[in-house]
PDB file of all heavy atoms in Angstrom:
ATOM      1  N   GLY A  20      -5.794  12.337 -15.823  1.00 91.00           N
ATOM      2  CA  GLY A  20      -5.331  12.567 -17.150  1.00 91.00           C
ATOM      3  C   GLY A  20      -5.922  11.562 -18.106  1.00 91.00           C
ATOM      4  O   GLY A  20      -6.364  11.851 -19.228  1.00 91.00           O
ATOM      5  N   VAL A  22      -8.702   9.781 -17.596  1.00 94.00           N
ATOM      6  CA  VAL A  22     -10.133  10.044 -17.701  1.00 94.00           C
ATOM      7  C   VAL A  22     -10.446  11.145 -18.651  1.00 94.00           C
ATOM      8  O   VAL A  22     -11.356  11.087 -19.478  1.00 94.00           O
ATOM      9  CB  VAL A  22     -10.756  10.380 -16.274  1.00 94.00           C
ATOM     10  CG1 VAL A  22     -12.173  10.897 -16.401  1.00 94.00           C
ATOM     11  CG2 VAL A  22     -10.671   9.131 -15.399  1.00 94.00           C
ATOM     12  N   LEU A  24      -8.549  12.279 -21.179  1.00 94.00           N
ATOM     13  CA  LEU A  24      -8.324  11.783 -22.505  1.00 94.00           C
ATOM     14  C   LEU A  24      -9.501  10.920 -23.033  1.00 94.00           C
ATOM     15  O   LEU A  24      -9.933  11.050 -24.177  1.00 94.00           O
ATOM     16  CB  LEU A  24      -7.029  11.015 -22.590  1.00 94.00           C
ATOM     17  CG  LEU A  24      -5.708  11.758 -22.590  1.00 94.00           C
ATOM     18  CD1 LEU A  24      -4.533  10.738 -22.436  1.00 94.00           C
ATOM     19  CD2 LEU A  24      -5.544  12.571 -23.842  1.00 94.00           C
ATOM     20  N   ALA A  32     -14.872  10.862 -31.047  1.00 96.00           N
ATOM     21  CA  ALA A  32     -15.079   9.662 -31.838  1.00 96.00           C
ATOM     22  C   ALA A  32     -16.554   9.418 -32.156  1.00 96.00           C
ATOM     23  O   ALA A  32     -16.890   9.013 -33.260  1.00 96.00           O
ATOM     24  CB  ALA A  32     -14.528   8.449 -31.049  1.00 96.00           C
ATOM     25  N   VAL A  34     -18.943  11.746 -32.371  1.00 95.00           N
ATOM     26  CA  VAL A  34     -19.433  12.727 -33.393  1.00 95.00           C
ATOM     27  C   VAL A  34     -18.896  12.389 -34.780  1.00 95.00           C
ATOM     28  O   VAL A  34     -19.675  12.331 -35.754  1.00 95.00           O
ATOM     29  CB  VAL A  34     -18.900  14.137 -33.003  1.00 95.00           C
ATOM     30  CG1 VAL A  34     -19.138  15.125 -34.129  1.00 95.00           C
ATOM     31  CG2 VAL A  34     -19.594  14.597 -31.703  1.00 95.00           C
ATOM     32  N   LEU A  38     -20.921  10.942 -38.100  1.00 92.00           N
ATOM     33  CA  LEU A  38     -20.813  11.657 -39.378  1.00 92.00           C
ATOM     34  C   LEU A  38     -20.379  10.734 -40.503  1.00 92.00           C
ATOM     35  O   LEU A  38     -20.940  10.731 -41.630  1.00 92.00           O
ATOM     36  CB  LEU A  38     -19.865  12.826 -39.231  1.00 92.00           C
ATOM     37  CG  LEU A  38     -19.719  13.801 -40.410  1.00 92.00           C
ATOM     38  CD1 LEU A  38     -21.056  14.473 -40.699  1.00 92.00           C
ATOM     39  CD2 LEU A  38     -18.622  14.902 -40.167  1.00 92.00           C
ATOM     40  N   ALA A  41     -23.030   8.331 -41.563  1.00 88.00           N
ATOM     41  CA  ALA A  41     -24.011   8.982 -42.426  1.00 88.00           C
ATOM     42  C   ALA A  41     -23.461   9.144 -43.829  1.00 88.00           C
ATOM     43  O   ALA A  41     -24.177   8.975 -44.839  1.00 88.00           O
ATOM     44  CB  ALA A  41     -24.384  10.402 -41.876  1.00 88.00           C
ATOM     45  N   ALA A  48     -22.363   9.991 -54.022  1.00 92.00           N
ATOM     46  CA  ALA A  48     -21.200   9.143 -54.229  1.00 92.00           C
ATOM     47  C   ALA A  48     -19.941   9.628 -53.589  1.00 92.00           C
ATOM     48  O   ALA A  48     -19.197   8.891 -52.968  1.00 92.00           O
ATOM     49  CB  ALA A  48     -20.995   8.840 -55.720  1.00 92.00           C
ATOM     50  N   VAL A  60      -8.545   3.782 -44.157  1.00 94.00           N
ATOM     51  CA  VAL A  60      -7.214   4.277 -43.763  1.00 94.00           C
ATOM     52  C   VAL A  60      -6.977   4.107 -42.276  1.00 94.00           C
ATOM     53  O   VAL A  60      -5.948   3.611 -41.802  1.00 94.00           O
ATOM     54  CB  VAL A  60      -7.008   5.706 -44.204  1.00 94.00           C
ATOM     55  CG1 VAL A  60      -5.740   6.309 -43.577  1.00 94.00           C
ATOM     56  CG2 VAL A  60      -6.950   5.769 -45.764  1.00 94.00           C
ATOM     57  N   LEU A  82       0.179  23.943 -37.550  1.00 86.00           N
ATOM     58  CA  LEU A  82      -0.884  23.690 -36.574  1.00 86.00           C
ATOM     59  C   LEU A  82      -0.135  23.280 -35.277  1.00 86.00           C
ATOM     60  O   LEU A  82       0.291  22.143 -35.095  1.00 86.00           O
ATOM     61  CB  LEU A  82      -1.840  22.602 -36.978  1.00 86.00           C
ATOM     62  CG  LEU A  82      -3.012  22.335 -36.051  1.00 86.00           C
ATOM     63  CD1 LEU A  82      -3.861  23.590 -35.858  1.00 86.00           C
ATOM     64  CD2 LEU A  82      -3.862  21.181 -36.561  1.00 86.00           C
ATOM     65  N   LYS A  87      -1.681  17.305 -25.447  1.00 90.00           N
ATOM     66  CA  LYS A  87      -2.895  16.576 -25.020  1.00 90.00           C
ATOM     67  C   LYS A  87      -3.982  16.702 -26.048  1.00 90.00           C
ATOM     68  O   LYS A  87      -4.703  15.743 -26.344  1.00 90.00           O
ATOM     69  CB  LYS A  87      -3.397  17.147 -23.673  1.00 90.00           C
ATOM     70  CG  LYS A  87      -4.668  16.495 -23.142  1.00 90.00           C
ATOM     71  CD  LYS A  87      -5.005  16.936 -21.755  1.00 90.00           C
ATOM     72  CE  LYS A  87      -4.114  16.269 -20.749  1.00 90.00           C
ATOM     73  NZ  LYS A  87      -4.479  16.507 -19.333  1.00 90.00           N
ATOM     74  N   ILE A  91      -5.834  13.709 -28.131  1.00 94.00           N
ATOM     75  CA  ILE A  91      -7.249  13.534 -28.208  1.00 94.00           C
ATOM     76  C   ILE A  91      -7.708  13.419 -29.693  1.00 94.00           C
ATOM     77  O   ILE A  91      -8.589  12.559 -30.004  1.00 94.00           O
ATOM     78  CB  ILE A  91      -7.986  14.685 -27.562  1.00 94.00           C
ATOM     79  CG1 ILE A  91      -7.773  14.663 -26.030  1.00 94.00           C
ATOM     80  CG2 ILE A  91      -9.459  14.754 -27.909  1.00 94.00           C
ATOM     81  CD1 ILE A  91      -8.262  15.893 -25.305  1.00 94.00           C
ATOM     82  N   THR A  98     -10.596   6.019 -33.275  1.00 96.00           N
ATOM     83  CA  THR A  98     -11.766   5.253 -32.765  1.00 96.00           C
ATOM     84  C   THR A  98     -13.005   5.529 -33.560  1.00 96.00           C
ATOM     85  O   THR A  98     -13.907   4.698 -33.665  1.00 96.00           O
ATOM     86  CB  THR A  98     -11.990   5.661 -31.245  1.00 96.00           C
ATOM     87  OG1 THR A  98     -10.775   5.440 -30.558  1.00 96.00           O
ATOM     88  CG2 THR A  98     -13.024   4.758 -30.598  1.00 96.00           C
ATOM     89  N   PHE A 101     -14.009   2.836 -36.003  1.00 95.00           N
ATOM     90  CA  PHE A 101     -14.701   1.655 -35.493  1.00 95.00           C
ATOM     91  C   PHE A 101     -16.135   2.013 -35.033  1.00 95.00           C
ATOM     92  O   PHE A 101     -17.026   1.168 -35.164  1.00 95.00           O
ATOM     93  CB  PHE A 101     -13.898   1.134 -34.304  1.00 95.00           C
ATOM     94  CG  PHE A 101     -12.513   0.647 -34.700  1.00 95.00           C
ATOM     95  CD1 PHE A 101     -11.453   1.532 -34.646  1.00 95.00           C
ATOM     96  CD2 PHE A 101     -12.285  -0.615 -35.111  1.00 95.00           C
ATOM     97  CE1 PHE A 101     -10.178   1.107 -35.028  1.00 95.00           C
ATOM     98  CE2 PHE A 101     -11.040  -1.083 -35.443  1.00 95.00           C
ATOM     99  CZ  PHE A 101      -9.961  -0.197 -35.413  1.00 95.00           C
ATOM    100  N   ALA A 105     -19.592   0.234 -36.504  1.00 92.00           N
ATOM    101  CA  ALA A 105     -20.631  -0.334 -35.510  1.00 92.00           C
ATOM    102  C   ALA A 105     -21.993   0.372 -35.868  1.00 92.00           C
ATOM    103  O   ALA A 105     -23.036  -0.383 -35.914  1.00 92.00           O
ATOM    104  CB  ALA A 105     -20.270   0.031 -34.104  1.00 92.00           C
ATOM    105  N   GLY A 116     -37.675  -1.265 -45.810  1.00 77.00           N
ATOM    106  CA  GLY A 116     -38.998  -0.691 -45.910  1.00 77.00           C
ATOM    107  C   GLY A 116     -39.188   0.543 -45.008  1.00 77.00           C
ATOM    108  O   GLY A 116     -39.977   1.466 -45.301  1.00 77.00           O
ATOM    109  N   GLY A 129     -31.626  13.348 -44.583  1.00 77.00           N
ATOM    110  CA  GLY A 129     -31.250  13.684 -43.231  1.00 77.00           C
ATOM    111  C   GLY A 129     -32.383  13.356 -42.205  1.00 77.00           C
ATOM    112  O   GLY A 129     -32.098  12.863 -41.149  1.00 77.00           O
ATOM    113  N   GLN A 139     -33.570   3.500 -34.347  1.00 79.00           N
ATOM    114  CA  GLN A 139     -33.679   2.052 -34.324  1.00 79.00           C
ATOM    115  C   GLN A 139     -32.326   1.350 -34.319  1.00 79.00           C
ATOM    116  O   GLN A 139     -32.157   0.346 -33.613  1.00 79.00           O
ATOM    117  CB  GLN A 139     -34.509   1.556 -35.548  1.00 79.00           C
ATOM    118  CG  GLN A 139     -35.957   2.086 -35.548  1.00 79.00           C
ATOM    119  CD  GLN A 139     -36.733   1.573 -36.782  1.00 79.00           C
ATOM    120  OE1 GLN A 139     -37.057   0.418 -36.840  1.00 79.00           O
ATOM    121  NE2 GLN A 139     -37.015   2.461 -37.724  1.00 79.00           N
ATOM    122  N   ILE A 145     -25.454  -0.515 -29.056  1.00 89.00           N
ATOM    123  CA  ILE A 145     -24.983  -0.083 -27.750  1.00 89.00           C
ATOM    124  C   ILE A 145     -23.826  -0.943 -27.224  1.00 89.00           C
ATOM    125  O   ILE A 145     -22.748  -0.393 -26.827  1.00 89.00           O
ATOM    126  CB  ILE A 145     -26.126  -0.028 -26.718  1.00 89.00           C
ATOM    127  CG1 ILE A 145     -27.130   1.046 -27.097  1.00 89.00           C
ATOM    128  CG2 ILE A 145     -25.596   0.204 -25.290  1.00 89.00           C
ATOM    129  CD1 ILE A 145     -28.370   1.055 -26.223  1.00 89.00           C
ATOM    130  N   ALA A 154     -11.929   0.054 -25.292  1.00 95.00           N
ATOM    131  CA  ALA A 154     -10.631  -0.122 -25.994  1.00 95.00           C
ATOM    132  C   ALA A 154      -9.962   1.258 -26.029  1.00 95.00           C
ATOM    133  O   ALA A 154      -8.746   1.367 -25.902  1.00 95.00           O
ATOM    134  CB  ALA A 154     -10.836  -0.706 -27.340  1.00 95.00           C
ATOM    135  N   THR A 176       7.955   7.779 -13.186  1.00 74.00           N
ATOM    136  CA  THR A 176       8.331   8.581 -12.009  1.00 74.00           C
ATOM    137  C   THR A 176       8.572   7.728 -10.851  1.00 74.00           C
ATOM    138  O   THR A 176       9.559   7.896 -10.107  1.00 74.00           O
ATOM    139  CB  THR A 176       7.109   9.568 -11.697  1.00 74.00           C
ATOM    140  OG1 THR A 176       6.888  10.365 -12.840  1.00 74.00           O
ATOM    141  CG2 THR A 176       7.480  10.457 -10.506  1.00 74.00           C
ATOM    142  N   SER A 178       9.330   4.497 -10.802  1.00 70.00           N
ATOM    143  CA  SER A 178      10.525   3.658 -11.008  1.00 70.00           C
ATOM    144  C   SER A 178      11.788   4.414 -10.653  1.00 70.00           C
ATOM    145  O   SER A 178      12.706   3.913 -10.052  1.00 70.00           O
ATOM    146  CB  SER A 178      10.557   3.130 -12.399  1.00 70.00           C
ATOM    147  OG  SER A 178      11.710   2.347 -12.666  1.00 70.00           O
ATOM    148  N   GLY A 194      -6.348   1.275 -11.537  1.00 89.00           N
ATOM    149  CA  GLY A 194      -6.913   2.535 -12.086  1.00 89.00           C
ATOM    150  C   GLY A 194      -7.626   2.288 -13.444  1.00 89.00           C
ATOM    151  O   GLY A 194      -8.708   2.753 -13.641  1.00 89.00           O
ATOM    152  N   LEU A 196      -8.845  -0.555 -14.422  1.00 94.00           N
ATOM    153  CA  LEU A 196     -10.000  -1.367 -14.174  1.00 94.00           C
ATOM    154  C   LEU A 196     -11.213  -0.496 -13.686  1.00 94.00           C
ATOM    155  O   LEU A 196     -12.330  -0.757 -14.129  1.00 94.00           O
ATOM    156  CB  LEU A 196      -9.676  -2.373 -13.029  1.00 94.00           C
ATOM    157  CG  LEU A 196     -10.737  -3.502 -12.764  1.00 94.00           C
ATOM    158  CD1 LEU A 196     -10.943  -4.347 -13.990  1.00 94.00           C
ATOM    159  CD2 LEU A 196     -10.292  -4.332 -11.555  1.00 94.00           C
ATOM    160  N   ALA A 201     -16.420   1.360 -15.143  1.00 95.00           N
ATOM    161  CA  ALA A 201     -17.381   2.464 -15.156  1.00 95.00           C
ATOM    162  C   ALA A 201     -18.027   2.621 -16.551  1.00 95.00           C
ATOM    163  O   ALA A 201     -19.256   2.824 -16.624  1.00 95.00           O
ATOM    164  CB  ALA A 201     -16.632   3.812 -14.756  1.00 95.00           C
ATOM    165  N   ALA A 204     -20.404  -0.344 -16.988  1.00 94.00           N
ATOM    166  CA  ALA A 204     -21.632  -0.171 -16.228  1.00 94.00           C
ATOM    167  C   ALA A 204     -22.572   0.835 -16.880  1.00 94.00           C
ATOM    168  O   ALA A 204     -23.768   0.625 -16.930  1.00 94.00           O
ATOM    169  CB  ALA A 204     -21.265   0.293 -14.805  1.00 94.00           C
ATOM    170  N   GLU A 210     -28.045  -0.303 -22.216  1.00 84.00           N
ATOM    171  CA  GLU A 210     -28.580  -1.466 -22.926  1.00 84.00           C
ATOM    172  C   GLU A 210     -29.849  -1.963 -22.308  1.00 84.00           C
ATOM    173  O   GLU A 210     -30.776  -2.356 -22.938  1.00 84.00           O
ATOM    174  CB  GLU A 210     -27.519  -2.571 -22.972  1.00 84.00           C
ATOM    175  CG  GLU A 210     -27.946  -3.808 -23.793  1.00 84.00           C
ATOM    176  CD  GLU A 210     -26.903  -4.836 -23.912  1.00 84.00           C
ATOM    177  OE1 GLU A 210     -25.899  -4.749 -23.159  1.00 84.00           O
ATOM    178  OE2 GLU A 210     -27.052  -5.799 -24.678  1.00 84.00           O
ATOM    179  N   GLY A 214     -31.819  -1.092 -25.128  1.00 59.00           N
ATOM    180  CA  GLY A 214     -31.306  -2.151 -25.977  1.00 59.00           C
ATOM    181  C   GLY A 214     -32.382  -3.050 -26.543  1.00 59.00           C
ATOM    182  O   GLY A 214     -33.565  -3.028 -26.047  1.00 59.00           O
TER     183      GLY A 214
END
Side-chain angles (χ1 to χ4, degrees):
V22 170
L24 284 173
V34 171
L38 186 61
V60 170
L82 184 59
K87 179 172 285 189
I91 290 170
T98 308
F101 297 91
Q139 298 180 70
I145 293 174
T176 302
S178 178
L196 188 63
E210 186 178 9

